[in-house]
Amino acid sequence: TYPTAGETGNGASIQITSYTDGDAKWYFDDVAVTPGQQYIFSDSYKSNTDSNITVRFLLTSGAYSYVGLDNLSAAPTWQSYSKTFTAPANAISFTAFHLLNKVGVLSIDNASLTSGITPTPTPTPNVTPTPSSTTTPTPSSTPMPTGTPIPTDNLIINPSLEVSSNGITPDNWHFNNWGTNNAQPVYPAAGSENDQGVGFDLSRGAEVVVTSYNSGDAKWYFDDVAVTPGQQYQFSDYYKSTVQSLVVARYTSNTGAVTYTQIGTLEPNSNWQKFSTTIIPPAGVISATVFHLISSIGTLDVDDYSMIILPNGPGPDSFDQGYVSLTFDDGWTSHYDNVLPILNAAGLRGGFYIVTNEMLNSSPVYMNTGQVLALQSAGHEVSSHTQTHPFLTHISQQAMTSEIVGSRDDLLVVGVAPVNVFVYPYGDFNSSVVQVVQDANFIGARSTQFGFNTKSTYKYSLKTQSVEAITTLEQVKLWIDIAKENKVWLTLMFHQVDHGGAAYSTTPEILQGIVDYLNQQSVSVITLRQGLNMMP
């Protein structure tokens, strides 16, 4: 519809009244761009459902390249959107789609594209936060130190949040919340006892307070730091919280595309605790930041961040060599039809984690009991993935226990043994879930948290890398190379292996390429049970 009432003057609207697939959008004529140049795209919008921002580049080859910038929540009143991106190599022009891909109404106005700062060889991009809470924190009455902290090997600027030029927010830090929630930033807040502010005798941290919640999350985060794909980095921070918190790495690629990787799920703690993990940026990434967030009513305090480069190569808790596990979730029939022949022909053994109600009910898209037993007879690991695949932390203690213990019993009754490895549906677990898994005699469990495992990895939260429709063979080869070089344990997580194109699926051809590369590189392929038995 045009014209419609805009934020200022005329705007344009899209209304979708029925939907099966695809999208709808207004977009402007392509404008010329310079490869490697930073640009800022912005517009105003309101909608009764979520919408998507995708940019389209025309390349010198005549091909188009599409990059998703953001998914935006419904906004009943006009909102401003802004995003910085870098034009990729060989780009000659650009346009932006603010689109709708479901039933609903979207109105747009005031689109803008301006030149940003051309990246230097070692960029540290400054991320512009999206609009967040309308609550403005009260400036501290205590003078705040200003200036640049003394450099260290820590890549994060102002890592202990001590320096503040305005007394309201720490320099080089941002607060953001998205979704439907009421979240308030608090700064300064009392910091941790381990505060390591360089040059200051202070102990200041930052806090997130969520007082109402429907969706989304809230967090403080630091300016992006430049990173190298395949390089190991040690990330840590101190935190305390009244609710479960998540730690998510946000990676920005050389095309401006943004990806998110969950690297930690942390239980509430009334005292300051240290979180630490190793992250390895994927191919094509040039910068990263880390969100320590909450997504429910409660409070989270953070302080003393660190991100340092680790020397590549084996560490003190590495294995005697690099290992890879091929794990297949849910028990899809494509595992029997497509995966089993590939693994058997290569002489490799995988792990298959079964949703037992689907197996027992002979659901057409899931393996039946005979097919599951055939996997075991061929030497593959078969174990538990619950009875109905629920979010285990969202159901009662009794139901959760029944799902975990019942799935183990279901497999034992039909002749699967041993059943002593567990895979959390959706990667959803907390301390209560872990306790039930331990009490049910499972020796360990695989999560969906991304990363690599060492001998010191917690056995009931094994890390993984997910092979999905967008995952390339080259990306998986990089993960395998990292595992081999650093003598760590890589678990690859698969779902459907077919040509259906589902988001969490991959093709038999990709799996064949992975299997071929493992054999070419003489990488040892083990089951989860074998890996757990090598850990202290």
Side-chain angles (χ1 to χ4, degrees), residues 107-165:
S107 299
I108 58 170
D109 197 4
N110 298 326
S112 170
L113 182 71
T114 57
S115 297
I117 300 171
T118 302
T120 61
T122 55
T124 306
N126 186 18
V127 179
T128 303
T130 53
S132 57
S133 171
T134 56
T135 305
T136 302
T138 303
S140 170
S141 59
T142 305
M144 302 295 291
T146 60
T148 303
I150 300 170
T152 68
D153 59 355
N154 191 347
L155 299 177
I156 302 170
I157 301 174
N158 195 18
S160 292
L161 304 96
E162 299 291 357
V163 180
S164 176
S165 300

Side-chain angles (χ1 to χ4, degrees), residues 83-124:
K83 186 75 169 186
T84 301
F85 65 90
T86 302
N90 302 321
I92 57 175
S93 65
F94 151 94
T95 188
F97 303 151
H98 194 155
L99 62 87
L100 202 59
N101 55 6
K102 58 183 61 179
V103 172
V105 178
L106 167 68
S107 299
I108 58 170
D109 197 4
N110 298 326
S112 170
L113 182 71
T114 57
S115 297
I117 300 171
T118 302
T120 61
T122 55
T124 306

